Amino acid sequence: MTRPRIHILYEHGSNQRPFGSAYIRLLRPLSHPQLQSAFEVTTGVDYAGQPVEAVIVDRLWRPDISPNLAESLLAKVRARSAKLIYTLDDSFFDLPAEVKDWEPTDDRLAVVRIFLTAADGIMVTTPALKNKFAEFNPNIVVLPHALDERLLPPRQFGTANGHSNQPKATKQAGFLSRLGIRPKQRKVIGYMGTFTHDNDLLMIRPALQAVAERHPGQLELQLVGGFRQPDTMKALKQLPLRVVRHKLKHIEYPDFMTWFTQNLDWDVAIAPLADTPFNRCKSDIKFLDYCALGAAGIFSKVPAYEATVRHRETGWLVDNHPAAWREALETLLFDDGLRLHITQNAEQYLFSERSVGQRSADWRQSINMILNHV
């Protein structure tokens, strides 16, 4: 049986390299061994009109995107009688209301409308996005994020049959680390995210202040990305704890995940997120990242995390006010047994339910449903 030919137009910047979101949602899953027999996949920054069954367009596609370029692509796809599949993981129409130093231009919002309306099918990451875009197109499938296990280290706490793939010494060192028995003196709180979360981090600053004051010299805050404004770092540096910001040169997603999971040793990972219309459409990708890292996560009790994080089992869900965040930080940092319990359960959830290998059928079914839709 002939495999459907799929060409992916991944979102990229001026260097023409794929953005991290393109790797997560398209390039890594559709290159997975379990999907190689399902589709014949090519990728690139343009479509020259080669014969394919479908062209997948990722988010805003290219840095010079315009309505004319979008219409030109559509004409090429239609000339080949191919299907156009549009993928989106953010509610761009809610961005102008966000208090950020960036927002899409009118032309870019027009491009999103063109692709949403003209697509033969749309793949989104959350039910909220499906509801948001239903007015543009009835053929929308929800394809939740999953992490490519090929990029992750061997499981720390064992496989499904209870046996770890790691050497005994490595397993023991990791086990003791999770119990809080560690060579360094400080417990580490970590945050990882894109450079758009200044307000989210500042939202929990009072809780960080209170916990650090109660445990002088015992805490460290490590940051990977997360904010853009110098005033944010200045405010965090004033906290009575050690603050470390990991500054990485440009590094593509596969290499980043290797660095992230092998070089960071966080006791607790935090995911504060304000409850806004834009954020209500976000996915739980940060939850999956923290599962892969082996850190017990604290997550704002917002739609992005409420559906998948099980409170005190795979993470800690917390209301967005200082007292709740203070309680969560205080408990998870110094209750070693609970922290280990959450970390073990989170890892089990990731590898059993949210790896690409476990969820490969989702991509096959979603794409085939759009290809077979009349």
Side-chain angles (χ1 to χ4, degrees):
M1 184 176 179
T2 304
R3 295 176 297 167
R5 296 162 296 183
I6 308 292
H7 185 66
I8 300 172
L9 294 176
Y10 52 78
E11 189 177 35
H12 60 278
S14 57
N15 63 359
Q16 299 193 341
R17 300 304 303 157
F19 286 167
S21 59
Y23 274 114
I24 296 168
R25 293 180 297 106
L26 293 170
L27 300 180
R28 297 301 302 187
L30 290 175
S31 68
H32 194 279
Q34 293 194 28
L35 286 172
Q36 288 179 355
S37 63
F39 307 109
E40 181 181 329
V41 178
T42 56
T43 68
V45 298
D46 206 351
Y47 173 61
Q50 62 267 35
V52 293
E53 276 64 55
V55 174
I56 300 180
V57 183
D58 180 35
R59 287 171 49 102
L60 288 172
W61 176 23
R62 51 193 288 176
D64 60 342
I65 191 65
S66 68
N68 286 339
L69 282 171
E71 296 286 3
S72 176
L73 173 64
L74 282 167
K76 290 180 183 179
V77 174
R78 301 302 183 221
R80 277 292 183 178
S81 299
K83 296 288 182 74
L84 182 106
I85 301 174
Y86 189 42
T87 67
L88 203 56
D89 62 346
D90 273 324
S91 180
F92 281 97
F93 301 125
D94 288 316
L95 264 177
E98 292 287 297
V99 183
K100 299 184 185 293
D101 63 350
W102 58 278
E103 63 179 63
T105 63
D106 289 343
D107 268 4
R108 291 192 164 200
L109 291 179
V111 166
V112 174
R113 290 189 183 93
I114 289 170
F115 285 140
L116 286 173
T117 304
D120 296 285
I122 301 166
M123 298 193 303
V124 297
T125 49
T126 67
L129 280 173
K130 179 177 180 177
N131 294 336
K132 182 78 67 172
F133 299 142
E135 64 178 291
F136 296 96
N137 197 313
N139 195 25
I140 304 177
V141 296
V142 178
L143 188 59
H145 280 124
L147 294 188
D148 187 349
E149 69 278 9
R150 294 173 297 171
L151 298 177
L152 306 181
R155 292 185 59 178
Q156 180 67 47
F157 297 107
T159 59
N161 62 9
H163 299 290
S164 173
N165 293 324
Q166 292 183 302
K168 183 177 180 180
T170 303
K171 178 182 177 183
Q172 183 181 35
F175 181 80
L176 293 175
S177 175
R178 299 299 180 267
L179 284 175
I181 303 171
R182 50 201 304 131
K184 55 190 177 185
Q185 297 300 312
R186 301 182 181 95
K187 293 286 181 71
V188 179
I189 305 165
Y191 179 87
M192 185 273 289
T194 58
F195 297 98
T196 58
H197 293 278
D198 296 71
N199 293 335
D200 296 319
L201 285 167
L202 293 176
M203 175 177 68
I204 66 164
R205 187 185 180 283
L208 291 168
Q209 175 93 23
V211 176
E213 287 177 349
R214 186 171 178 182
H215 302 278
Q218 298 182 45
L219 301 180
E220 180 174 307
L221 176 63
Q222 294 188 12
L223 303 162
V224 180
F227 61 89
R228 191 182 306 274
Q229 298 299 329
D231 285 348
T232 302
M233 187 61 177
K234 181 178 179 182
L236 295 174
K237 280 283 193 180
Q238 291 172 351
L239 291 169
L241 48 70
R242 185 168 185 255
V243 179
V244 176
R245 191 178 193 191
H246 297 281
K247 295 183 178 180
L248 304 178
K249 295 181 179 179
H250 177 73
I251 180 172
E252 291 191 33
Y253 175 77
D255 292 330
F256 171 79
M257 283 304 291
T258 299
W259 175 86
F260 179 68
T261 56
Q262 294 185 6
N263 290 278
L264 299 179
D265 185 17
W266 296 349
D267 297 283
V268 170
I270 56 174
L273 192 65
D275 188 10
T276 67
F278 177 75
N279 287 341
R280 286 172 204 146
C281 293
K282 279 190 165 294
S283 76
D284 64 349
I285 185 64
K286 195 174 271 82
F287 170 44
L288 302 185
D289 289 334
Y290 290 168
C291 289
L293 181 61
I298 303 175
F299 306 90
S300 286
K301 194 175 180 180
V302 295
Y305 304 118
E306 283 182 297
T308 50
V309 177
R310 301 195 309 273
H311 182 55
R312 296 179 67 97
E313 290 295 323
T314 59
W316 188 293
L317 290 169
V318 58
D319 293 323
N320 278 337
H321 57 79
W325 270 96
R326 184 172 66 250
E327 177 192 7
L329 286 164
E330 185 80 36
T331 303
L332 272 190
L333 282 168
F334 298 100
D335 187 334
D336 298 334
L338 177 59
R339 196 169 63 250
L340 176 64
H341 173 74
I342 287 175
T343 301
Q344 289 176 317
N345 287 338
E347 181 195 65
Q348 173 67 22
Y349 172 75
L350 171 63
F351 280 90
S352 65
E353 299 187 42
R354 298 294 294 279
S355 70
V356 173
Q358 291 289 339
R359 308 302 306 185
S360 60
D362 295 349
W363 276 268
R364 183 185 301 109
Q365 292 168 2
S366 297
I367 293 173
N368 282 331
M369 187 173 73
I370 295 172
L371 291 177
N372 296 327
H373 181 76
V374 179

